[in-house]
């Protein structure tokens, strides 16, 4: 008990040490290269980020980017779960959908962004790209989760004439939840990357990617790094929140089937 308490107390210190180590590496690169246009110092990036925090356009860009990521992610979860369940229970639907998933996974994101620029307005391109990149991950994991359901439990439910809704809630959902949790966390990190990349190319009015592109055009490396830090922090924050929500949901033990 005492050892576990010591380990828990050391975790924040270990994280702080790791953070300071990489900041020191960054500072070392700055001293070695010696040109701000290539690698700005951590202090100049911090000062730039501090200035951005007081600008209304900064918060508008963050708000719209968060909206695009969450919209694409939720759309991929809704369609990925529903189509994944149907595909896992019907071989014909699975064989029909599987080549599309393989094509999406093997096609470069840049190709889809360029195609989306023709199909949609600049503000909707990141939503579509986020959905398109996250959908195969959700679909694949849901199919795997349904196909790994314990067949003995399904046979027991069939023998005791358990209602289909109860079977779905008490057997299928607990089996799918670990796969879906991993898929959602992975998709959230991927969603941030592809959405910002789509914003850089589509250049919507309020977007983190648009500011990244502007910083690149004006060779403002400090601002470029500052916006990059913002993307990393937002991605880590949302992944942490999402993981905690999922843990709370999955830790709830379902009641026995015969209680229904």
């Amino acid at each position: 008990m005492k050892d576990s308490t010591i380990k828990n107390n050391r975790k924040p210190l270990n994280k702080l040490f790791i953070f300071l180590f990489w900041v020191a590496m960054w500072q070392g690169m700055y001293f070695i290269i010696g040109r701000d246009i290539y690698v700005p110092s951590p202090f100049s990036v911090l000062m730039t980020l501090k200035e951005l925090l007081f600008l209304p356009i900064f918060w508008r860009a963050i708000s719209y980017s968060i909206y695009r990521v969450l919209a694409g992610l939720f759309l991929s979860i809704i369609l990925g779960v529903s189509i994944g369940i149907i595909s896992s229970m019907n071989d014909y639907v699975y064989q029909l959908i599987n080549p599309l998933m393989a094509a999406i996974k093997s096609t470069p994101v840049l190709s889809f962004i360029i195609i989306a620029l023709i199909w949609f307005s600049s503000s909707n391109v990141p939503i579509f790209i986020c959905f398109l990149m996250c959908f195969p991950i959700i679909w694949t994991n849901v199919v795997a989760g349904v196909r790994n359901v314990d067949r003995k439990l399904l046979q027991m439910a069939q023998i005791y004439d358990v209602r289909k809704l109860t079977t779905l809630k008490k057997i299928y959902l607990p089996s799918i939840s670990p796969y879906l949790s991993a898929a959602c966390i992975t998709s959230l990190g991927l969603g941030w990357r592809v959405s910002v990349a789509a914003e850089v190319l589509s250049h919507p009015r309020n977007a983190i990617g648009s500011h990244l592109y502007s910083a690149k055009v004006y060779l403002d490396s400090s601002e470029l790094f500052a916006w990059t830090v913002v993307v990393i922090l937002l991605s880590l924050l949302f992944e942490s929140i999402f993981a905690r929500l999922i843990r709370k949901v999955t830790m709830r033990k379902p009641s026995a089937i015969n209680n229904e």
Side-chain angles (χ1 to χ4, degrees):
M1 184 71 179
K2 186 178 179 181
D3 292 340
S4 62
T5 305
I6 293 171
K7 287 181 180 178
N8 290 332
N9 291 334
R10 285 180 179 175
K11 281 183 180 179
L13 292 175
N14 291 337
K15 290 181 179 179
L16 179 62
F17 173 77
I18 292 169
F19 173 75
L20 293 176
F21 170 79
W22 286 111
V23 171
M25 292 291 290
W26 180 0
Q27 185 69 34
M29 287 180 61
Y30 168 72
F31 283 135
I32 292 169
I33 295 173
R35 298 189 66 181
D36 286 350
I37 193 171
Y38 294 120
V39 180
S41 69
F43 180 76
S44 65
V45 173
L46 182 63
M47 289 298 100
T48 303
L49 184 58
K50 182 181 177 182
E51 292 174 4
L52 290 174
L53 288 172
F54 294 97
L55 298 176
I57 195 170
F58 173 81
W59 297 106
R60 280 202 301 270
I62 287 179
S63 300
Y64 277 91
S65 291
I66 289 173
Y67 158 72
R68 294 184 185 103
V69 172
L70 294 181
L73 182 63
F74 285 137
L75 189 60
S76 66
I77 291 173
I78 292 169
L79 292 179
V81 170
S82 56
I83 297 176
I85 292 173
I86 296 170
S87 301
S88 60
M89 294 181 175
N90 190 309
D91 287 336
Y92 178 76
V93 175
Y94 176 81
Q95 293 172 8
L96 194 67
I97 299 295
N98 192 45
L100 176 62
M101 298 297 105
I104 293 173
K105 290 177 182 178
S106 58
T107 304
V109 180
L110 186 61
S111 299
F112 284 125
I113 295 175
I114 294 171
I115 293 169
L117 285 169
I118 301 172
W119 291 353
F120 304 104
S121 63
S122 60
S123 59
N124 290 326
V125 169
I127 298 175
F128 174 73
I129 295 300
C130 181
F131 158 73
L132 197 65
M133 293 296 103
C134 296
F135 176 71
I137 299 173
I138 304 294
W139 180 85
T140 302
N141 280 40
V142 169
V143 170
V146 173
R147 291 190 171 183
N148 281 283
V149 171
D150 192 341
R151 298 299 167 187
K152 292 181 180 179
L153 287 176
L154 293 176
Q155 290 173 1
M156 183 187 70
Q158 190 173 7
I159 291 170
Y160 288 98
D161 197 23
V162 178
R163 290 181 299 172
K164 290 184 178 180
L165 183 60
T166 304
T167 303
L168 177 66
K169 287 169 59 180
K170 304 301 181 183
I171 298 178
Y172 280 105
L173 289 182
S175 177
I176 295 172
S177 60
Y179 294 88
L180 184 59
S181 301
C184 289
I185 294 171
T186 303
S187 298
L188 191 57
L190 177 65
W192 270 106
R193 292 195 296 272
V194 297
S195 295
V196 172
E199 287 175 348
V200 170
L201 291 179
S202 61
H203 208 67
R205 185 175 181 182
N206 294 298
I208 293 174
S210 300
H211 290 285
L212 280 169
Y213 181 80
S214 299
K216 175 256 180 186
V217 169
Y218 293 106
L219 299 177
D220 191 344
S221 296
S222 295
E223 186 173 340
L224 182 62
F225 273 66
W227 281 107
T228 304
V229 169
V230 169
V231 174
I232 294 170
L233 292 176
L234 286 173
S235 179
L236 292 174
L237 176 64
F238 275 85
E239 281 186 29
S240 176
I241 293 171
F242 214 76
R244 287 184 180 183
L245 288 174
I246 289 170
R247 277 199 297 269
K248 284 184 179 180
V249 172
T250 54
M251 281 175 66
R252 294 175 183 172
K253 293 182 179 179
S255 57
I257 293 175
N258 51 14
N259 287 341
E260 290 289 329

